[in-house]
Amino acid sequence: EAGVTQFPSHSVIEKGQTVTLRCDPISGHDNLYWYRRVMGKEIKFLLHFVKESKQDESGMPNNRFLAERTGGTYSTLKVQPAELEDSGVYFCASSPAGTGGGYTFGSGTRLTVV
Amino acid sequence: GDSVTQMEGPVTLSEEAFLTINCTYTATGYPSLFWYVQYPGEGLQLLLKATKADDKGSNKGFEATYRKETTSFHLEKGSVQVSDSAVYFCALSDNAGANNLFFGTGTRLTVIP
């Protein structure tokens, strides 16, 4: 079974530019989550999809962040325009319906905004 | 709100030393508790979990016991190996429906030969 795939693995962009991160969950997993770890701090929840619907987006920091999950398969997280404080590692995770926290995580995308 | 407080790092140990990484939590209700590990260059992996008070999670020689009276879930291993070098994250899920995780800040462990 293929795991959760994220790309790119690294991205360096200038302040004000746009970046799109992609996550391919495990096939058949209804739940898809985005998390972010800012350097040295805790990993924080951003949002949760159930299939194509946003179940909870309470962790999204501001309206510069837009997440989509078209057709309930892969998901994208767009940051537009990027700011310096957006730098960090963005993790995606997926789980089957009804799972209590035991997700499978991807390797993360390290985003650096300069 | 829900939160996890984790032992500050980094931690450096010699091979075969005893490891403890402290974790305490604040939560309403009855959370599930987890330890995740991130090896260099890899994603987060579930190391172990416990879903109710007094449960003990264990895996790869690591153990943690869900202590409701002290709101703790400390990670222990009796004899660490160089291959255990990684970042360890304590986390909780509030089981309130969304199942999103609240993480601690992570503890970097380095084991030297």
Side-chain angles (χ1 to χ4, degrees):
Chain A
E1 177 183 72
V4 176
T5 305
Q6 291 186 247
F7 47 93
S9 57
H10 294 84
S11 180
V12 180
I13 62 171
E14 293 184 352
K15 176 182 171 180
Q17 289 186 322
T18 298
V19 63
T20 300
L21 314 181
R22 174 169 167 149
C23 169
D24 286 60
I26 292 173
S27 178
H29 280 192
D30 286 348
N31 294 300
L32 187 150
Y33 303 81
W34 283 98
Y35 287 82
R36 176 175 74 169
R37 187 186 191 207
V38 173
M39 181 64 72
K41 297 192 175 180
E42 69 270 24
I43 300 170
K44 284 196 171 180
F45 168 79
L46 295 179
L47 87 159
H48 170 208
F49 284 98
V50 177
K51 298 184 181 178
E52 68 275 11
S53 299
K54 291 177 184 174
Q55 179 78 9
D56 181 355
E57 53 183 330
S58 60
M60 295 287 265
N62 51 60
N63 59 10
R64 295 185 293 102
F65 289 75
L66 175 65
E68 295 181 324
R69 190 181 183 194
T70 307
T73 55
Y74 71 90
S75 175
T76 57
L77 179 64
K78 180 190 289 188
V79 185
Q80 179 182 30
E83 298 290 344
L84 299 179
E85 64 264 25
D86 301 331
S87 296
V89 181
Y90 290 76
F91 291 101
C92 175
S94 72
S95 68
T99 306
Y103 319 146
T104 301
F105 277 86
S107 300
T109 295
R110 180 175 296 278
L111 174 65
T112 303
V113 183
V114 297
Chain B
D2 296 345
S3 66
V4 174
T5 301
Q6 190 174 339
M7 173 180 170
E8 296 277 338
V11 174
T12 302
L13 294 174
S14 297
E15 205 164 22
E16 299 183 3
F18 184 85
L19 168 71
T20 299
I21 301 177
N22 289 337
C23 172
T24 57
Y25 67 89
T26 301
T28 54
Y30 303 94
S32 294
L33 302 174
F34 306 85
W35 277 99
Y36 280 83
V37 58
Q38 185 179 23
Y39 298 103
E42 300 184 16
L44 289 166
Q45 300 176 24
L46 179 64
L47 180 60
L48 53 84
K49 71 176 183 179
T51 58
K52 61 182 187 297
D54 299 325
D55 268 2
K56 177 186 283 188
S58 61
N59 186 23
K60 299 182 181 179
F62 290 89
E63 292 183 339
T65 301
Y66 189 144
R67 300 285 189 202
K68 195 170 190 301
E69 64 276 13
T70 54
T71 61
S72 65
F73 193 55
H74 304 322
L75 182 69
E76 296 183 336
K77 186 173 185 181
S79 176
V80 293
Q81 305 300 313
V82 173
S83 57
D84 294 326
S85 298
V87 182
Y88 293 81
F89 295 90
C90 185
L92 73 82
S93 171
D94 63 11
N95 294 324
N99 285 328
N100 49 294
L101 291 168
F102 296 86
F103 284 90
T105 53
T107 301
R108 180 176 297 279
L109 170 67
T110 302
V111 180
I112 55 177

